[in-house]
Amino acid sequence: MPALSRRTVFKGAAAATGLTLLPGAASASRVPVTREEHRVVVIGSGFGGGVTALRLAQAGVPVHVLERGIRWPTGPNAETFPHPTAPDKRIFWLGSEPNLFGLVSFPFERYTGLLERVPGNGMDIMCAAGVGGGSLIYQGMTLQPTEEVFNANFPEQLDYARMDQVYYPRVASMLRIATAPDELIASPTYAAARVFARNARAAGHSVEKIPMPIDWSYALRELTGEMKPSYTNGDCAFGVNNGGKHSVDVTYLAAAEATGRCTVATLHNVTDVAMAPDGRWLIHVDRINTGGVVLEKKVLTASALVMAAGTANTTKLLMRAGATGGIPDLPDGLGTNWGSNGDQIYTWTSLADDFGSPQGGPVIYGSKEWDDPALANTVIQASLPPLPNLRTTMLVGYGVSAGRGHFVYDPAKDDAVLQWPGDADAKVAQRIHERITDIGGAAAVKLNTTTLVPSTWHPLGGASMGTVCDLAGRVLGHRGLYVLDGALMPGNTAACNPSMTIAAVAERALDEIVAQDAGTVF
């Protein structure tokens, strides 16, 4: 293995915390224009899009999924995903690496990579690209909120009892969630997880294993040398090459495609949406190559359009359509009620304990503090990528916050830009800091990277239920237009990683949509 330079170490650590992204620009040239008609078009293939595709296909409705990125197939010893310690073009969505910490940096070749940084005023948003959306690169914490915390943050009409009995279990079954086995936790590279659990308990905080969409036998097989390390050395910040991770592409979407009624069109970048004169929906799409060059322009017409492009891109597309007249009379609340899920990402350097290197991942333990629904929060330990031993690991907190931002459409840029008050998450951030200080102990150095470069991997809201959509994601006043991703959330997901709740709310919505709208609306 080649020696790692100081620059590479900084790049790898920063990439793992989401600090190193710049957006790219699409290529433009004279290209052919084609037209297609579909019954249902879904923009995006993450949790909302995956649930929609499967449940409509199972109900006999043909569905066409548009994904701007590529497929990322994995398997034992695969090299599909990039490595954080050796960043390359596969990390970035048609963009380049910025100058970081004053270190000289060189742009990568433009490529339809995994991550896009969407800059905002006061907060940047990290967006995934690829079949499976955010599930390709998320840590995988699959948490269900308690009834008290859920009802304090979501409309009670969602009916927590029904969510608890039907929809959360349905998601858990699809993702085949499981906690890490004790045999793995006891292995040498999981020292950081063991120290976290010990310190948290000693400080009086709860500790429990975090359910993950992972077949942990893959990690155990790495210990025996059957596969090269991917889980057990923390080399999974940008996807797990060995497989065993039950992301949306290999669960919901694979099942949808297996019905024969779902097609997934990759490298299809949606540029605009609009209402057709006959009330159907127009979707303007650039079919691109992996360098971003436009090969074909498409205009798709659909009876139903499901926006599942991720919080930022769903909100931006709808706001552009509203501002330019493409979709008239969109609800006034569009672009509001946006939250960061209280994200706080820390490095934890210990003088008392040696976490070792490499560090096993992705996440083993977490500490919940959910007694107060207004300040409920979760703190977890996550591994660093395989770097030299820096006596450092990661601590991540997130939780309930009343702080909200909003998007403003800028006609000069033809884009909607997030406006985020700098102190919006101050209350939950302070409580997370206190808990991380307890867990880190006196002989520790803790650095909150979120204060250096404000950013979130858990953007929520912008087309929220109750203000823009009903509880099933129907955009108010617009027949056949739906939002079924993080944009539908009311600014937070009740002290949990958002994925499970986004999927469970989508599962509930699809039951209603299939029963009430299929055959009538579309």
Side-chain angles (χ1 to χ4, degrees):
M1 179 178 179
L4 291 171
S5 67
R6 180 173 178 270
R7 176 175 172 269
T8 301
V9 168
F10 273 114
K11 288 198 304 182
T17 61
L19 303 178
T20 63
L21 305 177
L22 282 178
S27 299
S29 60
R30 186 176 298 278
V31 294
V33 177
T34 59
R35 294 182 178 272
E36 298 175 2
E37 292 200 1
H38 297 275
R39 187 168 169 188
V40 178
V41 166
V42 178
I43 304 175
S45 64
F47 281 98
V51 171
T52 301
L54 176 58
R55 302 311 175 196
L56 288 180
Q58 288 178 330
V61 178
V63 57
H64 189 57
V65 179
L66 302 175
E67 170 53 53
R68 63 178 179 165
I70 62 175
R71 292 186 186 264
W72 298 83
T74 63
N77 300 319
E79 283 291 327
T80 301
F81 291 111
H83 302 281
T85 51
D88 60 43
K89 67 179 184 179
R90 292 173 295 172
I91 294 178
F92 307 105
W93 170 258
L94 297 179
S96 61
E97 182 190 17
N99 185 304
L100 182 66
F101 299 139
L103 301 173
V104 177
S105 183
F106 300 95
F108 292 116
E109 176 186 348
R110 285 169 56 82
Y111 190 74
T112 48
L114 286 162
L115 279 170
E116 176 190 17
R117 179 180 68 90
V118 176
N121 291 326
M123 176 73 72
D124 293 345
I125 301 171
M126 302 304 176
C127 299
V131 177
S135 73
L136 295 171
I137 56 172
Y138 80 144
Q139 292 288 305
M141 294 167 282
T142 308
L143 294 173
Q144 176 182 337
T146 62
E147 182 173 10
E148 186 178 17
V149 179
F150 184 91
N151 285 339
N153 292 280
F154 284 87
E156 289 192 20
Q157 294 88 338
L158 278 178
D159 187 4
Y160 183 84
R162 182 74 173 159
M163 295 288 291
D164 179 56
Q165 294 165 10
V166 177
Y167 300 115
Y168 279 116
R170 188 182 292 177
V171 174
S173 176
M174 282 296 302
L175 299 181
R176 305 194 296 281
I177 62 174
T179 57
D182 291 340
E183 177 186 357
L184 182 70
I185 300 169
S187 64
T189 63
Y190 286 85
R194 299 193 298 271
V195 172
F196 170 85
R198 182 201 69 195
N199 283 17
R201 291 187 181 110
H205 298 292
S206 69
V207 175
E208 59 189 85
K209 292 181 181 180
I210 300 294
M212 305 284 282
I214 289 172
D215 180 348
W216 291 102
S217 71
Y218 279 68
L220 292 173
R221 289 160 64 191
E222 290 179 15
L223 293 180
T224 65
E226 198 173 331
M227 291 183 285
K228 65 184 179 183
S230 186
Y231 291 103
T232 54
N233 69 344
D235 194 17
C236 47
F238 297 126
V240 180
N241 275 309
N242 277 338
K245 183 180 178 183
H246 305 141
S247 47
V248 170
D249 54 326
V250 297
T251 54
Y252 279 101
L253 284 172
E257 290 178 289
T259 67
R261 288 183 288 274
C262 171
T263 53
V264 178
T266 60
L267 296 172
H268 278 57
N269 188 36
V270 176
T271 58
D272 288 287
V273 294
M275 179 183 290
D278 64 0
R280 292 188 295 168
W281 300 100
L282 299 175
I283 306 97
H284 297 266
V285 184
D286 287 343
R287 184 172 67 81
I288 60 178
N289 66 15
T290 56
V293 175
V294 179
L295 306 177
E296 178 185 14
K297 287 186 174 290
K298 292 185 173 184
V299 182
L300 279 57
T301 304
S303 299
L305 172 59
V306 179
M307 305 295 298
T311 301
N313 290 311
T314 285
T315 303
K316 285 168 167 283
L317 283 168
L318 288 175
M319 289 191 71
R320 180 185 295 125
T324 59
I327 303 178
D329 302 320
L330 284 166
D332 292 339
L334 181 64
T336 67
N337 204 27
W338 186 92
S340 73
N341 211 43
D343 278 5
Q344 308 291 315
I345 301 176
Y346 281 74
T347 59
W348 170 23
T349 303
S350 176
L351 305 179
D353 292 288
D354 187 354
F355 301 128
S357 180
Q359 297 172 11
V363 173
I364 302 295
Y365 289 117
S367 175
K368 300 175 183 175
E369 186 181 66
W370 292 3
D371 292 342
D372 178 0
L375 200 58
N377 66 88
T378 303
V379 174
I380 62 95
Q381 180 270 330
S383 60
L384 279 180
L387 298 167
N389 190 354
L390 306 174
R391 302 183 72 94
T392 299
T393 191
M394 305 298 301
L395 296 176
V396 179
Y398 42 84
V400 172
S401 174
R404 294 292 180 267
H406 65 281
F407 287 82
V408 174
Y409 178 75
D410 183 343
K413 296 180 178 178
D414 189 24
D415 195 13
V417 180
L418 176 65
Q419 313 296 312
W420 177 253
D423 61 350
D425 286 336
K427 191 173 181 180
V428 71
Q430 178 59 32
R431 182 55 192 153
I432 289 170
H433 179 77
E434 291 167 356
R435 297 227 295 138
I436 282 177
T437 299
D438 288 347
I439 293 168
V445 177
K446 298 164 290 295
L447 175 63
N448 186 351
T449 67
T450 311
T451 63
L452 296 177
V453 182
S455 59
T456 180
W457 298 73
H458 298 149
L460 298 165
S464 295
M465 57 180 69
T467 58
V468 176
C469 302
D470 70 8
L471 301 187
R474 302 179 184 94
V475 177
L476 302 176
H478 290 77
R479 178 184 173 91
L481 181 61
Y482 305 83
V483 171
L484 287 171
D485 60 10
L488 182 62
M489 301 296 105
N492 75 86
T493 47
C496 293
N497 176 287
S499 56
M500 192 180 200
T501 293
I502 291 171
V505 168
E507 289 277 17
R508 177 194 177 279
L510 264 296
D511 271 4
E512 183 173 323
I513 291 167
V514 166
Q516 298 179 10
D517 298 2
T520 56
V521 175
F522 57 86

